Amino acid sequence: PDLNDIVKPTLQNLIIENNYTESGGGIACLNASPQIIDVTIRNNTASADNIAHPLNQAKGGGLFCINHSNPSLKNVTITGNIASSNSYGEPQNGGGIACKDSSDVTLINSTISNNQVIGPSGYWGSYGGGIFCTQSFLTLKNVEISINTTSSGWGNGIYLVQSNAELTNLTMVDNFSYNHHYGLFIHGNGNYVSITNSIIYGHTNSIFFLYSYDTLDVSFSDIEYGETGIVKYDCSPIINWLNGNLDEDPLFSGLEDNPYQLSAESPCIDTGNPDTTGLNIPNDDLLGNVRIWDGDNNGSEVIDMGAFEFNSIPVSNNDKVNKTKVENEVLRTYPNPVIKNLQIETELHNTEYIEISLLNIRGQKIETIYSGIQNAGISKFLWGSNEYIIGVYFIKLKVKDREIIEKIVKR
């Protein structure tokens, strides 16, 4: 195709690893807007060390996008990639991702971790350990950015230059450098950054503005050091510190496979924005579990902060869970927690075939409590819990293709 044409391929179910080039160690996009789904991009290198180039610039260890490239990434892991140079030329950018020149990148349910930007010793020219973005638009939803590094300390998690960003349910933690540990670094003028339902923790400064007059909105997020964790250097950005923000240890679980899940004591459970209208949040979280869940068991379903929903159940590809109450059907359970017998009450608008089942913590059906034709109106059922151990279970009412799920606790 002509280089001015935009191509839109789909890359799916791939592992891209152990490649070496100057820009885009794993993938390079020029006038390309691919869909990248269920892909792992790992252990690739973008290096300018042995390349005759006037700029001597390494960009995008995992992914590099330039010239109106607008990739969409879903269920993607970008890890162990490097952007490096041993010379004192132009900066090295984006250990995980680098995008520039109106290249708008969208990441959903993805992880960017353990990537590096490495410059010469003592050189302050390595930017964006996780993501480097200039003159572009960055959209992140249900994304973890963790343990990425730069040798200079500029934007260890994300570095934005004259770029807009929408960061929703982001977990950005423990990104570091040999100098300063800045999580989000914002440089440039006239741009807009929003942070919603997110956790930024484990950096010297959570957010750093340099020569910037951007607008930043922060709401329903756990930001280490609170508003004082936002540093402004020789600039006067507009900072809107909105409702629902915290400055508390998020109390991650520390579990081996996913250490940045929330523990049961986390203050980030059910403390996201209770009104998710317009946020276009995916139905599932980073682990594929139902995204909005009653994690604190108070009877109200409110989204958590960060990329992981606490104590939720998986959303099966073949059996999608619809947690929203269906207009014409109602499911009630009491007492909850239950010690012996649970009263289950259904309310139907029409006479329908229904199924009431018990699910375990993984969302797997372990018992059919009732199945059959049920008349319109209110019906009551009794479920005995004696044979089940203490723990969390779920009652599911299925009516045609509609489902309602209620969480119960057995004590």
Side-chain angles (χ1 to χ4, degrees), residues 129-169:
I131 299 175
F132 175 86
C133 187
T134 179
Q135 296 177 334
S136 298
F137 196 112
L138 180 65
T139 302
L140 306 181
K141 298 184 179 183
N142 293 342
V143 171
E144 176 189 319
I145 299 178
S146 62
I147 322 178
N148 301 285
T149 66
T150 68
S151 56
S152 71
W154 300 115
N156 304 298
I158 300 173
Y159 190 106
L160 299 175
V161 183
Q162 297 178 348
S163 295
N164 298 318
E166 179 184 339
L167 312 177
T168 306
N169 286 101

Side-chain angles (χ1 to χ4, degrees), residues 194-401:
S194 70
I195 301 174
T196 308
N197 298 344
S198 295
I199 300 171
I200 301 179
Y201 200 82
H203 312 97
T204 302
N205 297 110
S206 296
I207 303 168
F208 192 100
F209 284 92
L210 176 66
Y211 309 132
S212 174
Y213 297 88
D214 292 320
T215 297
L216 171 68
D217 287 352
V218 184
S219 63
F220 296 95
S221 294
D222 189 1
I223 309 297
E224 189 174 18
Y225 311 116
E227 194 170 0
T228 61
I230 303 175
V231 176
K232 296 163 282 188
Y233 183 85
D234 196 18
C235 59
S236 299
I238 299 171
I239 297 175
N240 297 313
W241 191 257
L242 305 175
N243 294 334
N245 295 315
L246 303 176
D247 171 20
E248 298 184 40
D249 187 333
L251 297 176
F252 296 119
S253 69
L255 296 175
E256 183 175 353
D257 291 338
N258 296 285
Y260 299 114
Q261 291 184 79
L262 304 178
S263 70
E265 295 77 26
S266 173
C268 300
I269 296 171
D270 281 17
T271 49
N273 191 340
D275 182 5
T276 58
T277 305
L279 295 179
N280 298 315
I281 294 170
N283 293 328
D284 52 348
D285 72 353
L286 183 53
L287 291 180
N289 296 326
V290 174
R291 177 66 267 198
I292 302 177
W293 196 257
D294 181 14
D296 60 7
N297 197 34
N298 69 351
S300 298
E301 298 168 351
V302 179
I303 195 168
D304 294 348
M305 295 178 180
F308 302 94
E309 194 76 8
F310 176 73
N311 215 19
S312 183
I313 63 172
V315 176
S316 167
N317 290 332
N318 299 317
D319 188 19
K320 294 292 184 181
V321 175
N322 177 8
K323 291 178 60 274
T324 304
K325 293 292 186 290
V326 182
E327 181 179 0
N328 293 330
E329 288 88 39
V330 175
L331 172 65
R332 304 182 185 93
T333 58
Y334 55 91
N336 192 7
V338 59
I339 297 175
K340 185 176 180 181
N341 293 322
L342 181 74
Q343 297 285 340
I344 302 171
E345 187 176 288
T346 64
E347 185 174 348
L348 306 179
H349 182 71
N350 299 307
T351 298
E352 302 276 10
Y353 179 88
I354 70 169
E355 180 179 278
I356 302 172
S357 52
L358 178 72
L359 312 181
N360 63 18
I361 188 64
R362 298 182 178 274
Q364 301 164 327
K365 183 166 74 171
I366 54 177
E367 180 182 340
T368 299
I369 297 172
Y370 174 85
S371 63
I373 300 293
Q374 197 64 35
N375 294 329
I378 296 175
S379 301
K380 295 183 179 181
F381 306 85
L382 186 67
W383 173 68
S385 67
N386 286 346
E387 64 181 277
Y388 291 96
I389 63 174
I390 292 172
V392 175
Y393 298 87
F394 305 93
I395 301 295
K396 180 172 76 171
L397 169 65
K398 184 173 183 180
V399 184
K400 293 183 178 178
D401 60 347

